[in-house]
Amino acid sequence: MNAPQPISSSRNLGILISGRGSNFVAIADNISAGRLHARISIVISNRSDAPGIEAARQRGLNVVVIPSKGRTREDHDREVVSALKEARADVVVLAGYMRLLSPWFIQQFPHRILNIHPSLLPSFPGLDAQKQAFDYGVKVSGCTVHFVDEHLDHGAIVVQRTVPVLPDDDDHSLADRILQQEHQAYSEAIRIVLDGNYEIIGRRVVAKTH
Ligand code: GRF
């Protein structure tokens, strides 16, 4: 059994993106609307051309581009971790961050790094998960928010949401409907982790009952 360490009252999120950033925007909107009690203390992109950067700037957030191209993982991760620590991030939110984290990075934030994946893990890890699921012919897919561990798309699951595959779907329409669920599931998972109202038993993230 593993009870989480309490989170500081500042409830700071450090968000890592590489692209579109729609999950980041959904989280930011939920915070602005008072549906998620948190603060985004930094948005970091490893790509200077990520469209999500502009969305973050428009919101007046602290945005930092730390290019990963041509650098070793360890070197890049060191700079990202130091920016996250400087911004006093309590929870690290991978929102379409297309890089594996080094074990050292993960150890800096034990049970404090979340990722979202567009399938019902452990089915269809890796790239193009929605297409993998569609091509396989599943009748139900969905999304998973999980703690990040040293294996790809693998850590303990915090929230999952299901999405039916409809007869006239293609992989794009399925991906669109999964994305709508992602935008709700991520804030739900962040709330659970910030509130610390859970225990990790084996691989299971179990809500504490009082
Ligand atoms: C999402 O489908 C997410 O599940 C996956 O990458 C995509 C990122 O989309 N990890 P966005 O950049 O948040 O719009």
Side-chain angles (χ1 to χ4, degrees):
M1 201 141 67
N2 196 342
Q5 294 296 310
I7 299 258
S8 83
S9 58
S10 49
R11 296 167 71 97
N12 283 336
L13 305 180
I15 300 196
L16 270 51
I17 63 170
S18 298
R20 181 174 58 178
S22 74
N23 276 289
F24 146 64
V25 167
I27 293 163
D29 286 350
N30 280 333
I31 292 172
S32 305
R35 289 187 290 264
L36 175 62
H37 175 41
R39 173 175 169 266
I40 297 174
S41 64
I42 190 165
V43 177
I44 300 175
S45 174
N46 69 314
R47 295 185 55 132
S48 58
D49 58 353
I53 295 172
E54 190 46 37
R57 290 208 172 111
Q58 278 170 9
R59 284 170 168 73
L61 294 170
N62 174 25
V63 190
V64 181
V65 177
I66 304 178
S68 53
K69 206 170 174 192
R71 298 179 65 182
T72 64
R73 189 173 316 285
E74 284 63 30
D75 191 28
H76 182 254
D77 279 3
R78 239 191 311 276
E79 197 174 334
V80 172
V81 166
S82 113
L84 287 166
K85 290 198 168 167
E86 199 180 319
R88 300 190 179 284
D90 296 303
V91 172
V92 179
V93 176
L94 309 187
Y97 188 63
M98 302 302 285
R99 286 204 38 104
L100 288 175
L101 306 186
S102 59
W104 175 80
F105 187 140
I106 296 164
Q107 283 155 18
Q108 303 309 301
F109 297 93
H111 288 119
R112 291 281 181 268
I113 308 177
L114 291 171
N115 182 44
I116 190 159
H117 184 76
S119 75
L120 293 176
L121 290 172
S123 291
F124 312 117
L127 291 176
D128 295 326
Q130 306 96 324
K131 185 169 185 325
Q132 288 186 55
F134 182 79
D135 290 348
Y136 193 91
V138 298
K139 301 298 184 198
V140 178
S141 191
C143 62
T144 304
V145 184
H146 62 93
F147 286 113
V148 171
D149 68 10
E150 280 149 31
H151 307 284
L152 178 70
D153 299 331
H154 177 267
I157 292 171
V158 185
V159 168
Q160 281 188 311
R161 288 198 173 205
T162 58
V163 174
V165 181
L166 303 178
D168 55 357
D169 262 337
D170 60 20
D171 56 325
H172 298 287
S173 60
L174 177 62
D176 287 348
R177 289 206 320 289
I178 292 174
L179 191 63
Q180 289 172 21
Q181 294 303 313
E182 291 184 42
H183 291 166
Q184 298 176 30
Y186 221 161
S187 291
E188 185 186 334
I190 291 167
R191 192 178 301 114
I192 290 169
V193 173
L194 287 176
D195 290 349
N197 228 355
Y198 64 92
E199 286 167 350
I200 302 177
I201 304 171
R203 283 191 48 90
R204 299 175 59 233
V205 177
V206 180
K208 271 196 221 159
T209 49
H210 294 287

